[in-house]
Amino acid sequence: MLRFALAGNPNSGKTTLFNCLTGSTAHVGNWPGVTVDKREGLYKKCKEPISIVDLPGIYSLSPYSPEEVISRNYILDEKPDCVINIVDVTNLERNLYLTTQVMEIDVPVVIALNMSDVLKKNGDKIDEKELEKRLGVPVVVISALKNEGLDELMERAYEASKKKRIGKTVLEESELAHVIGDVKIALEGQGVENPLFHAIKLIENDEIERTMHAETVKMVEAFKKTFKNDLFGVDFEALIADARYKYICKHYSSTLTKKIKGITDTRSDKIDRVLTNKWAGIPLFLVILFTIFHLTFSEDFLWSSYWGLPSLEALGVMVEGAEGELEPVNFGIALFSCLYDGVIYSPGVVLFNLMDLLTSTVFGWLTEGIASLGASEWAISLIGDGVLGGLAGVLSFVPQIIMLLLLLSILEDTGYMARVAFILDRIFRKFGVSGRAFIPMIMGFGCSIPAMVNTRTLLDERERTLTIRTIPFFSCGAKLPILVAVAGAVGNMLGLGDGAWISYAMYVVGMALAVISIIVMRSTTQRGEVAPFIMELPAYRLPSGKALMIHLWDKTKHYIEKVFTIILASTIIVWFASSYGWDWRPAEIQESILASLGQFLQPLFTPLGFGSQLNEFGWVFVVAAITGLIAKEEVIATFGTLSALFTTVVAPELAVEGATDVMLMTIGTGITWQALVAFIIFNMTTIPCFAAVAAARGEINKGKFKWTILFWVVASYIATSFVYTVLSWWWTAFIWAAVIALVTLGIVIWNKKFAK
Ligand code: GDP
Ligand code: MG
């Protein structure tokens, strides 16, 4: 089958093009470094099916970043039938820098001039015919976003793939032309493929080439001794880069005619003056994050409880139900109560309520249906308590999680995320972390796994390690149910109404722990230099609705799949282990397998607030935290299953009206609100889910992986016991302060010694 590779600068639209061509749903983001691995898909509209490979974005084919190496090796070793070099035409010169290098390889090349819609809007013009003549390879104007010119692009690429092409260089006009020719002939003599490309890289002092062609290095060195350049001396890399840019400006730039404008700022510049302002930048970022969380899970996001609005009860639309609790008079009112009950709910909470109404109605019918069919008692318990009790808890949160992901994707797509990296770089550089590391961290609010993969753009191996370790502290979407449900119970205990403020505080604690861990690791086990941070800021863009929808649909599918596979399976196991004893017979919940396992581990959690100090039912928190290692949603699913069993079997009088699963657990175990807060912190900071652990293992050096697991265990243990003890007994803060001071002193002294 034919294989075409997409190569181009970061943010030039490769993934957008890839998605259009293959109908796939890869993630598109308006900041460099979204695609860090290659990806394959099928294009079917040509005479033969064509496999399309989306390569990571790169500025050159030097071996300085992992992406550059991946893309370079792919083109050289895998020999695609054609390279489609996608060029952001609004940044023509810089993008053509890569083109000049790709053209040196003996492979068919077609240039796709992307973002032509932006060009048109700016009133600029590109003469693609002329550019094609000067470059000597086909040039096609496209807009990946608007789906324009793609058929022609593939047609031309298909034609090109049928012909052989010999590499060509723009350096033939430079003073190095001679030596390039000599080295090329020498390499050809050795039977090296792509001799022109390798010859030039060798002269550039490219490390990979120097080890690969040790023989020829001598020849290059001999030449270099005789060479003298006024401007760059013997820095051949700079010399060659300069020659490329000069050639581009002289021969290619004139094909682009820009509409003459005054020296006014672009709109992006104006927005940036505010958003990346030295003083306002960080507060604005925090406000934006707050707004995102507020829209997602605040019950009262317009502060409408201060408006004195009447509750549904006061409106007289509630009636007394069979068990004495208040119910809406009809389904219409039930629907309305998802939006409003004395307060106006935030969009996220409305979504939650609607989904909750849906699941509880459908699951109610299911349970009744099974009972009326005369199913046996254990089947009713398995399906009613085990499966439905657990799944309902998780399913209700899916729309809310998706909403959070939507808001985060909008941040990425507008180009704001790149600014955040830029703002944070100014501060965190001092602590040894570049702003680039914050992009994966903030991605972690969605899901840790793509965030960990994204760290491949970090050059310093140690910076990468510590970034991967701190990513789970940025509470992911799957942890949102824990946050909302447990914080809701805490808010209820403290009479705060809803738990939104506690949830915000939890996010802040997570971020603070990340910063502290970074500082500690950078000054102990993961010392290192901060790599320079070079990332251009992409222009602000309105997010594309289509890309967002594709992305969200993908995530929704993923969550639903997860609920009906992993979560369902582990929920059944939890139900079984809590309904049966070690003799495999039905047992009271307190004599069950799960209870004995939980009780065995319980003492370990005493310093964290949810261990032995709780009553005989207190093991449920330990069990829930441990099932969270499978998937973080499982924590809430476990509460659902256990509280269903608990209220049907152990303490039916606890089935109070309107009490959530977590509230039932709270009443049943006698846990304090401080320990509940500690429980959230523990789940947020401890070992992430299996899938994320596997991702970390793939991304981190082998030797460092087991330390990473230990790091998560220790960090969460310390952070959780800190939160629990200080909230419970304020004076313990002094003990902690003393310990922290001692440890800091220890590190400082150790480092002084170490430095000598
Ligand atoms: P990659 O980093 O090269 O994979 O680039 P992406 O495909 O992730 O796209 C980067 C940004 O450019 C996204 O915000 C896209 O929506 C946007 N984009 C891609 N192609 C076009 C285009 O043809 N026109 C416009 N206006 N925007 C585009
Ligand atoms: Mg991409």
Side-chain angles (χ1 to χ4, degrees):
M1 189 166 39
L2 287 176
R3 264 178 314 117
F4 292 2
L6 296 182
N9 284 17
N11 221 28
S12 58
K14 285 179 307 304
T15 305
T16 311
L17 177 62
F18 176 80
N19 286 351
C20 274
L21 292 178
T22 62
S24 122
T25 54
H27 186 127
V28 176
N30 187 15
W31 39 275
V34 172
T35 310
V36 286
D37 205 354
K38 52 180 201 280
R39 212 185 329 239
E40 270 189 89
L42 210 58
Y43 178 78
K44 299 190 193 108
K45 287 205 275 180
C46 253
K47 289 172 206 101
E48 329 171 25
I50 297 166
S51 162
I52 311 266
V53 181
D54 183 22
L55 295 175
I58 45 173
Y59 295 109
S60 87
L61 292 173
S62 318
Y64 293 122
S65 75
E67 296 101 313
E68 285 169 347
V69 177
I70 294 176
S71 300
R72 161 182 168 147
N73 289 352
Y74 188 85
I75 302 175
L76 288 177
D77 302 340
E78 311 278 324
K79 303 196 187 61
D81 298 291
C82 180
V83 172
I84 298 179
N85 177 204
I86 177 159
V87 163
D88 172 358
V89 67
T90 61
N91 265 313
L92 188 67
E93 278 110 359
R94 205 208 47 223
N95 277 251
L96 286 177
Y97 182 69
L98 174 67
T99 308
T100 60
Q101 299 180 50
V102 173
M103 299 227 313
E104 285 158 5
I105 302 176
D106 299 341
V107 67
V109 177
V110 172
I111 310 291
L113 293 176
N114 193 29
M115 312 261 178
S116 58
D117 55 315
V118 182
L119 203 70
K120 231 183 267 162
K121 215 162 76 200
N122 293 348
D124 303 340
K125 274 205 182 64
I126 179 87
D127 185 350
E128 73 269 19
K129 298 258 160 51
E130 185 59 30
L131 187 60
E132 177 168 324
K133 219 161 71 198
R134 296 187 185 181
L135 280 167
V137 293
V139 173
V140 184
V141 175
I142 66 163
S143 165
L145 194 69
K146 302 263 150 81
N147 210 333
E148 285 165 9
L150 303 194
D151 292 339
E152 190 197 341
L153 173 68
M154 291 308 289
E155 199 73 23
R156 303 281 310 261
Y158 181 73
E159 274 167 36
S161 73
K162 296 294 171 197
K163 289 183 219 130
K164 255 190 117 53
R165 189 182 151 274
I166 298 295
K168 214 184 103 189
T169 180
V170 300
L171 299 171
E172 60 205 10
E173 279 195 358
S174 83
E175 46 196 329
L176 291 172
H178 203 63
V179 63
I180 292 174
D182 288 351
V183 177
K184 179 182 161 214
I185 290 168
L187 289 175
E188 252 167 351
Q190 298 162 21
V192 173
E193 287 184 311
N194 294 308
L196 178 63
F197 177 82
H198 289 296
I200 294 170
K201 287 290 162 206
L202 207 53
I203 296 167
E204 271 180 24
N205 266 336
D206 180 307
E207 284 159 45
I208 302 183
E209 299 291 334
R210 287 176 69 92
T211 45
M212 233 164 55
H213 308 289
E215 291 280 300
T216 324
V217 170
K218 287 191 209 103
M219 179 178 160
V220 175
E221 294 301 325
F223 163 79
K224 285 184 178 172
K225 285 217 184 72
T226 66
F227 184 83
K228 183 115 182 44
N229 178 282
D230 304 332
L231 208 51
F232 297 101
V234 287
D235 184 350
F236 282 81
E237 203 182 347
L239 184 66
I240 289 181
D242 182 64
R244 288 187 198 280
Y245 272 118
K246 282 206 179 112
Y247 191 95
I248 292 170
C249 291
K250 192 165 153 205
H251 297 277
Y252 303 147
S253 296
S254 58
T255 57
L256 181 69
T257 0
K258 294 213 170 170
K259 192 171 147 194
I260 314 247
K261 288 182 221 136
I263 320 174
T264 48
D265 289 354
T266 62
R267 208 177 33 148
S268 284
D269 290 338
K270 282 190 195 129
I271 303 175
D272 269 343
R273 211 144 341 116
V274 182
L275 287 186
T276 63
N277 180 283
K278 204 163 155 195
W279 303 108
I282 295 221
L284 279 174
F285 169 57
L286 292 176
V287 168
I288 289 173
L289 269 190
F290 169 84
T291 311
I292 287 183
F293 297 135
H294 196 63
L295 285 172
T296 313
F297 52 64
S298 162
E299 297 221 323
D300 182 13
F301 84 121
L302 294 173
W303 292 277
S304 52
S305 54
Y306 298 105
W307 303 0
L309 300 171
S311 67
L312 288 182
E313 194 183 346
L315 288 174
V317 291
M318 305 294 269
V319 288
E320 209 157 287
E323 275 139 38
E325 76 281 10
L326 281 177
E327 279 178 354
V329 278
N330 56 35
F331 192 69
I333 296 295
L335 265 184
F336 182 68
S337 73
C338 294
L339 313 174
Y340 172 87
D341 185 4
V343 292
I344 301 163
Y345 297 135
S346 74
V349 174
V350 172
L351 287 176
F352 173 86
N353 290 342
L354 287 172
M355 192 67 183
D356 199 40
L357 182 66
L358 181 73
T359 46
S360 61
T361 313
V362 173
F363 286 8
W365 291 339
L366 279 179
T367 323
E368 277 170 30
I370 299 162
S372 67
L373 285 177
S376 62
E377 202 172 305
W378 76 262
I380 294 177
S381 168
L382 166 65
I383 295 175
D385 301 340
V387 176
L388 300 184
L391 292 197
V394 181
L395 270 180
S396 312
F397 281 103
V398 170
Q400 211 174 1
I401 297 175
I402 298 300
M403 157 130 191
L404 177 70
L405 291 176
L406 168 72
L407 295 174
L408 288 172
S409 310
I410 292 178
L411 270 202
E412 283 179 21
D413 244 24
T414 50
Y416 180 64
M417 207 73 116
R419 269 76 185 181
V420 172
F422 174 73
I423 302 168
L424 293 176
D425 188 70
R426 284 196 294 236
I427 302 176
F428 287 97
R429 175 155 297 276
K430 295 189 195 71
F431 298 117
V433 189
S434 76
R436 185 63 189 81
F438 283 92
I439 288 184
M441 291 183 198
I442 294 160
M443 274 178 96
F445 283 132
C447 175
S448 297
I449 298 165
M452 285 176 178
V453 175
N454 187 271
T455 59
R456 289 184 199 167
T457 45
L458 298 173
L459 299 186
D460 178 31
E461 197 260 325
R462 292 178 160 181
E463 185 180 21
R464 218 180 139 209
T465 305
L466 65 89
T467 305
I468 290 177
R469 287 178 181 172
T470 45
I471 282 172
F473 300 166
F474 294 77
S475 188
C476 73
K479 293 176 187 170
L480 181 121
I482 311 180
L483 268 170
V484 173
V486 181
V490 176
N492 190 272
M493 280 167 99
L494 296 177
L496 289 177
D498 78 50
W501 281 102
I502 298 163
S503 304
Y504 307 141
M506 297 295 102
Y507 277 107
V508 174
V509 171
M511 288 191 272
L513 184 63
V515 170
I516 295 170
S517 314
I518 288 170
I519 296 174
V520 171
M521 281 193 267
R522 260 314 202 197
S523 48
T524 55
T525 60
Q526 307 295 323
R527 283 193 198 80
E529 288 289 307
V530 205
F533 180 53
I534 24 171
M535 182 167 83
E536 74 192 277
L537 297 180
Y540 284 105
R541 262 193 274 262
L542 276 183
S544 123
K546 192 175 143 213
L548 280 179
M549 282 305 122
I550 289 179
H551 181 52
L552 285 188
W553 171 237
D554 220 36
K555 294 288 171 196
T556 312
K557 237 173 34 194
H558 168 77
Y559 273 106
I560 304 266
E561 266 168 26
K562 205 162 142 195
V563 169
F564 285 103
T565 51
I566 303 178
I567 311 275
L568 176 64
S570 31
T571 303
I572 292 176
I573 294 172
V574 167
W575 169 82
F576 176 80
S578 54
S579 312
Y580 286 75
W582 287 106
D583 54 1
W584 306 109
R585 284 172 188 220
E588 283 288 312
I589 188 165
Q590 282 304 76
E591 266 77 58
S592 65
I593 300 176
L594 204 61
S596 69
L597 288 178
Q599 282 154 355
F600 176 71
L601 293 172
Q602 215 175 340
L604 283 179
F605 293 83
T606 308
L608 312 188
F610 46 97
S612 306
Q613 60 271 74
L614 305 184
N615 69 18
E616 73 281 356
F617 194 57
W619 51 268
V620 294
F621 285 96
V622 174
V623 166
I626 289 171
T627 55
L629 298 183
I630 301 168
K632 292 292 165 184
E633 296 95 333
E634 187 56 30
V635 173
I636 291 305
T638 301
F639 281 148
T641 305
L642 291 180
S643 76
L645 280 175
F646 191 63
T647 46
T648 48
V649 183
V650 187
E653 73 279 5
L654 283 185
V656 233
E657 184 221 327
T660 63
D661 295 337
V662 182
M663 289 177 195
L664 287 175
M665 292 288 112
T666 313
I667 304 166
T669 57
I671 195 170
T672 62
W673 70 265
Q674 293 92 339
L676 277 180
V677 172
F679 180 75
I680 305 181
I681 297 290
F682 181 76
N683 281 292
M684 249 175 78
T685 55
T686 194
I687 306 177
C689 67
F690 277 161
V693 170
R697 195 173 60 187
E699 300 299 327
I700 288 186
N701 266 3
K702 275 214 184 63
K704 285 184 176 170
F705 176 66
K706 56 177 188 290
W707 294 109
T708 302
I709 298 285
L710 186 71
F711 166 77
W712 283 326
V713 172
V714 172
S716 62
Y717 206 82
I718 296 177
T720 310
S721 53
F722 171 84
V723 167
Y724 172 63
T725 51
V726 171
L727 284 181
S728 302
W729 306 281
W730 60 270
W731 47 265
T732 53
F734 293 113
I735 304 178
W736 283 101
V739 173
I740 292 166
L742 272 179
V743 172
T744 314
L745 197 67
I747 293 176
V748 170
I749 292 175
W750 171 267
N751 275 346
K752 278 245 167 71
K753 258 193 174 159
F754 192 85
K756 266 177 201 166

